Amino acid sequence: MTSKEFIAQCKEKRTEHQEQVEVVKYLRKNKILHYAVPNGANKSRTAQRQFSAEGLMAGVPDLCIPVSNKYYHGLYIEMKRRAKTLKSCKKSVSHTKVSPEQEKWLTELNERGYYAVVCYGEDEAIEVIEEYMENRS
């Protein structure tokens, strides 16, 4: 890796939104049934109350692929921004933490026969999706 590439990698500011957009592009390109849960969207207090009354719940994973395979009823993915691995970049990864509400949902979904995981970045999410889809019945 050249010093220029190293600096570019350290300065990379890819957001969770950008990571998820790339995963959705992959899902659309491969015609995989999916939908997103807009829990993280910034909403006014009025909109928050309305969505809450309609059933929106904190912690629900970002993406759902309602396709069963040999082992699970469907796949849920909680997207997180890719974690920095270069120690010398000294980037904070606190934004990649899973909240207690998200942990609860992931546990509950897994206990009910779904495959619910946290993916750090588009590459990890696409890998999980491909492995999941290979096991379709």
Side-chain angles (χ1 to χ4, degrees):
M1 175 184 302
T2 68
S3 61
K4 209 174 209 179
E5 291 170 330
F6 177 79
I7 291 167
Q9 193 169 2
C10 286
K11 288 184 176 179
E12 182 182 75
K13 293 183 179 179
R14 197 140 188 201
T15 65
E16 183 178 314
H17 165 78
Q18 291 168 319
E19 299 279 9
Q20 185 167 326
V21 166
E22 293 304 315
V23 174
V24 170
K25 285 180 185 177
Y26 168 84
L27 291 166
R28 288 177 178 161
K29 178 182 172 189
N30 290 283
K31 297 178 173 55
I32 298 172
L33 186 64
H34 67 282
Y35 63 89
V37 178
N39 273 343
N42 294 327
K43 302 172 203 62
S44 67
R45 293 213 185 264
T46 302
Q48 288 174 357
R49 284 191 296 274
Q50 289 173 337
F51 282 116
S52 178
E54 291 175 2
L56 191 67
M57 308 225 7
V60 175
D62 298 306
L63 292 169
C64 177
I65 298 171
V67 177
S68 63
N69 72 10
K70 294 177 188 175
Y71 310 106
Y72 302 100
H73 302 311
L75 171 62
Y76 282 88
I77 297 175
E78 174 58 39
M79 289 296 304
K80 295 293 181 192
R81 186 179 141 175
R82 191 176 345 181
K84 295 292 182 191
T85 55
L86 299 172
K87 292 178 185 175
S88 56
C89 287
K90 298 181 182 173
K91 291 280 187 177
S92 169
V93 293
S94 61
H95 60 279
T96 63
K97 290 183 181 174
V98 178
S99 73
E101 294 87 359
Q102 291 168 334
E103 284 284 357
K104 182 180 177 195
W105 270 99
L106 293 168
T107 300
E108 294 281 339
L109 289 164
N110 280 305
E111 288 176 355
R112 286 169 170 71
Y114 294 91
Y115 186 44
V117 295
V118 178
C119 291
Y120 293 89
E122 71 177 272
D123 295 337
E124 187 175 326
I126 290 170
E127 185 178 320
V128 166
I129 293 164
E130 287 176 346
E131 288 175 14
Y132 181 87
M133 297 303 283
E134 284 176 10
N135 289 310
R136 289 190 60 202
S137 38

